[in-house]
Amino acid sequence: MDSQTPQSSQASQSPHTFQVDLRGLVDLLSHHLYSSPKVYLRELLQNAVDAITARRAEQPDAPARVRLYTDSRDGAALRVEDTGVGLTESDVHSLLATIGRSSKRAEGLQEARSDFLGQFGIGLLACFVVAERIRVVSRSARTPDAPPVEWTASDDGSYTVRTLPDEARPEPGTTVHLIARAGAGEWLTPERVLTLARDFGSLLPYDVRVGDEAVTDLPAPWDRAHPSPATRRVALARHCHETFGFTPLDSIELDVPLAGIRGVAYVLPSAVSPAQRATHRVHLKGMLLTERAEQLLPDWAFFVRCVLDTDSLRPTASRESLYEDETLAAVREALGERIRSWLTALAAGDPERLAAFLSVHHLGVKSLARHDKDMLRTMLPWLPFETTDGQLSLEEFAQRHPVVHFTRTVEEYRQVAPIASAQGVGVVNGGYTYDSELIEALPSVRPGTVVAELDADTVTAHLDSVDPAEELALTGFLAAARAKLDPLGCDVVLRAFHPLSVPALHLDDRAARHEQARAEAEAQADDLWAGILGSLRGSAPRARLVLNHLNPLIRRIASLKDPELIGTATESLYGQALLMAQRPLRPADSALLNRAFIGLLEWATHGEDGHR
């Protein structure tokens, strides 16, 4: 505190007390409102920038400088000077008096600040997160005849206000002095202050420096001119690597003038889970607001990371995230439309880049195409699907097959894919995320296309029947096999199909699985529930084990005379068919596999003993 005090200001030197518990407020700020003590520097920069903005609104030619100086001679200290609008003694009192109040702002400086980044009083109090004492010296540009004013506050909740002689602050503006509190000195070191200032303020519209080191770096990376699109992509890729730590597959311009947004979205070079919340870097009027904005883009756009500057979005109380309101919803829709337009442009003019993108992020595009027929129509020739003809787009697959058969689960597809392919039946695996929805939507964008869910009856109908005389000769074998699998809710059917190497095929569909689950529940229920579940028994088809009459192993088993050995062999074929289909095994299925394996071992060793 200055020891030379003018006689005329003695009456204003008496101590005053905040109308809040300052220690409790600092604890609230540091432990609950702000994510890190580093925000103190953002608050100082915001106050300085807002003050300059307010002065330039009235004096367009006023200087626009912010200077930060560190001093560690008497403990860690920081001085921040700006050429802003400044404060009078009454401004200081009224600003501090409104801390924590929600009443309408009065005329004057408070009203002028309502359109800026923050509030002078609460911004200064946030500095107590790292400071034990704050001293502000300010001179008003609005009232040039008013003397400079000094406001000094301690973290014990007391402050003093006094006026100073003219030479203490000859020009309008404000200087803030911070003295670090115990244990917080690291936040005021030269290296830390420079790093934080550049992080928060690199896009600020004024000249900001820490000592002689420049902080601002304008124009923004997305606003810089480049000699060619290729050099621009290289420059943006370098910026992405510096900002997010990865080299993008591509960059998407985010220019939404109506929403006051300029920026760029970077396409991730590797796949990420749709459930993973994407985080984006958002600047508000040049000041970094957050590096973890989650709700900025639609959920389907999880394959990009954004960095942008906006003057329309509303920050939360901590000014570290975005407030969810109608404006943010409109911005989210506009940015989603921009990403959608980029995809459409790739499909129309750069198929190689589109193919590279889809090889990594087809899931995100499929998510978008579910709800957007135009996008589905655009992406139809490009989106990859697993089919019995290999990796194909739905467009190409539909051109090859009059009916687009599909399965709803990966397990169903694995059951039928080899057999269906050998029989000339085209099947698309709809078991992956979004795929079945897109397949069912195909007729809406490709009129005349027939789409049908593949079921066990369809597959069986495409398999060749066995000669009736041959099947009649195997009646005893089939009866023994059916008796063995009947308790498992599975029928046995004899057919002839390719490939010959497949001895048996397990087929079921959702209706059969529902009936199986109902039967299991009925078996475990008490009398009342068993009766209810029994009444629900429907005519749903049962699962079936299709034996391949062309397979040599099936022919040898069919020639066996021992019913028990036939039963054991049938159980083995059933278990092997389940494993080939990669279906989850029920306890009964696992028990059957163990029983069949032991039975075959006993039969083999018994036969060996008898031979000896």
Side-chain angles (χ1 to χ4, degrees):
M1 183 180 294
D2 196 333
S3 59
Q4 301 297 321
T5 305
Q7 186 69 28
S8 61
S9 66
Q10 291 295 324
S12 63
Q13 292 187 38
S14 58
H16 304 273
T17 302
F18 287 108
Q19 298 303 306
V20 294
D21 178 357
L22 185 55
R23 292 187 186 277
L25 181 57
V26 170
D27 179 73
L28 175 67
L29 294 175
S30 60
H31 293 99
H32 302 285
L33 186 61
Y34 295 127
S35 62
S36 166
K38 69 181 182 180
V39 297
Y40 88 92
L41 193 64
R42 183 194 64 195
E43 299 295 340
L44 289 174
L45 288 176
Q46 284 182 348
N47 282 337
V49 168
D50 286 350
I52 294 173
T53 301
R55 183 178 181 185
R56 283 207 152 186
E58 301 175 7
Q59 304 173 19
D61 297 331
R65 298 188 304 272
V66 180
R67 296 291 183 267
L68 297 88
Y69 302 97
T70 58
D71 185 358
S72 58
R73 289 175 298 176
D74 300 321
L78 174 66
R79 184 172 87 255
V80 182
E81 299 178 354
D82 69 64
T83 57
V85 70
L87 303 170
T88 63
E89 183 176 2
S90 61
D91 289 334
V92 170
H93 282 296
S94 60
L95 283 170
L96 291 173
T98 61
I99 292 174
R101 288 176 55 186
S102 59
S103 59
K104 293 183 178 179
R105 298 178 175 89
E107 297 180 357
L109 183 61
Q110 298 173 59
E111 186 177 75
R113 288 184 180 276
S114 65
D115 293 330
F116 304 131
L117 294 174
Q119 284 289 318
F120 180 80
I122 195 67
L124 278 180
L125 284 187
C127 294
F128 277 119
V129 172
V130 298
E132 69 174 10
R133 188 162 65 91
I134 302 175
R135 177 172 171 259
V136 177
V137 177
S138 187
R139 183 161 193 160
S140 174
R142 286 202 178 106
T143 313
D145 296 335
V149 60
E150 178 192 72
W151 175 83
T152 304
S154 299
D155 60 1
D156 63 0
S158 65
Y159 72 92
T160 61
V161 179
R162 64 172 183 165
T163 55
L164 301 177
D166 288 344
E167 57 269 21
R169 178 83 200 194
E171 299 296 329
T174 300
T175 301
V176 179
H177 303 260
L178 299 187
I179 301 297
R181 64 193 302 150
E186 61 171 308
W187 294 103
L188 274 63
T189 60
E191 297 79 9
R192 181 62 67 91
V193 169
L194 179 60
T195 299
L196 292 179
R198 284 177 171 167
D199 198 33
F200 284 120
S202 63
L203 301 185
L204 290 174
Y206 306 130
D207 179 16
V208 181
R209 295 177 181 270
V210 176
D212 296 327
E213 298 285 341
V215 168
T216 49
D217 185 19
L218 296 176
W222 47 84
D223 287 330
R224 295 171 188 169
H226 296 279
S228 69
T231 56
R232 179 176 179 81
R233 279 199 297 270
V234 170
L236 289 177
R238 186 182 307 114
H239 173 251
C240 176
H241 194 274
E242 294 170 353
T243 304
F244 294 114
F246 65 84
T247 300
L249 280 178
D250 205 350
S251 56
I252 307 170
E253 303 285 344
L254 299 179
D255 186 3
V256 188
L258 292 178
I261 285 178
R262 287 284 296 146
V264 61
Y266 294 115
V267 181
L268 291 165
S270 57
V272 293
S273 167
Q276 179 179 333
R277 298 293 293 181
T279 56
H280 311 286
R281 186 178 176 92
V282 177
H283 297 257
L284 181 60
K285 300 174 186 175
M287 182 72 72
L288 178 65
L289 179 71
T290 179
E291 299 175 283
R292 300 185 300 276
E294 293 185 347
Q295 66 273 50
L296 187 64
L297 295 181
D299 289 341
W300 56 260
F302 54 81
F303 50 84
V304 298
R305 297 291 181 269
C306 292
V307 54
L308 56 81
D309 187 28
T310 176
D311 58 15
S312 64
L313 297 178
R314 178 183 170 192
T316 58
S318 67
R319 295 196 289 280
E320 293 187 288
S321 60
L322 298 171
Y323 189 83
E324 184 67 49
D325 57 11
E326 293 181 358
T327 302
L328 179 56
V331 165
R332 183 162 47 236
E333 182 177 348
L335 294 179
E337 181 59 36
R338 185 65 194 87
I339 296 172
R340 183 186 291 110
S341 299
W342 168 79
L343 283 170
T344 304
L346 279 189
D350 201 339
E352 289 186 2
R353 285 171 65 197
L354 178 64
F357 165 74
L358 289 178
S359 67
V360 178
H361 295 297
H362 59 275
L363 199 59
V365 179
K366 286 181 177 180
S367 173
L368 171 59
R370 289 182 305 153
H371 308 294
D372 190 324
K373 288 185 179 179
D374 291 336
M375 180 55 62
L376 178 58
R377 188 178 293 108
T378 300
M379 292 291 108
L380 203 57
W382 308 102
L383 288 173
F385 287 79
E386 182 180 1
T387 79
T388 49
D389 293 351
Q391 286 285 113
L392 293 178
S393 69
L394 289 180
E395 174 69 27
E396 189 174 358
F397 187 84
Q399 291 173 358
R400 296 186 182 186
H401 299 276
V403 178
V404 178
H405 290 288
F406 74 97
T407 63
R408 290 192 181 275
T409 68
V410 175
E411 292 79 8
E412 290 175 6
Y413 178 80
R414 287 169 177 164
Q415 285 183 88
V416 302
I419 310 303
S421 179
Q423 308 305 312
V425 179
V427 183
V428 183
N429 185 355
Y432 295 114
T433 306
Y434 310 134
D435 281 10
S436 61
E437 295 175 72
L438 293 176
I439 297 167
E440 290 181 301
L442 186 57
S444 67
V445 296
R446 196 178 188 276
T449 303
V450 179
V451 174
E453 183 176 353
L454 189 69
D455 56 24
D457 289 336
T458 303
V459 177
T460 306
H462 280 81
L463 303 181
D464 294 333
S465 299
V466 177
D467 181 84
E470 292 187 50
E471 188 167 1
L472 183 62
L474 298 175
T475 300
F477 160 70
L478 293 175
R482 286 167 181 155
K484 180 59 69 172
L485 296 187
D486 184 69
L488 297 173
C490 183
D491 292 332
V492 176
V493 178
L494 188 66
R495 292 289 187 273
F497 56 87
H498 293 273
L500 300 180
S501 57
V502 178
L505 177 66
H506 181 270
L507 292 178
D508 65 359
D509 50 30
R510 284 183 298 166
R513 288 194 293 275
H514 291 165
E515 172 60 20
Q516 189 177 67
R518 185 209 60 78
E520 291 177 355
E522 180 182 357
Q524 298 173 7
D526 57 29
D527 292 340
L528 173 61
W529 280 109
I532 294 174
L533 291 169
S535 67
L536 297 177
R537 183 183 298 111
S539 59
R542 306 206 312 166
R544 65 197 67 178
L545 182 68
V546 183
L547 302 179
N548 187 1
H549 186 56
L550 300 180
N551 181 267
L553 176 62
I554 295 297
R555 287 180 176 272
R556 287 196 296 271
I557 295 175
S559 66
L560 295 174
K561 303 302 181 183
D562 185 346
E564 288 192 16
L565 186 54
I566 291 175
T568 301
T570 303
E571 288 180 331
S572 299
L573 290 169
Y574 174 82
Q576 187 262 355
L578 285 179
L579 293 176
M580 289 297 293
Q582 301 185 38
R583 295 295 303 273
L585 299 180
R586 301 168 297 165
D589 297 329
S590 299
L592 175 144
L593 278 172
N594 290 331
R595 184 171 64 248
F597 179 70
I598 297 299
L600 289 176
L601 283 179
E602 289 180 347
W603 177 81
T605 54
H606 175 75
E608 184 69 18
D609 291 341
H611 176 73
R612 288 178 180 174

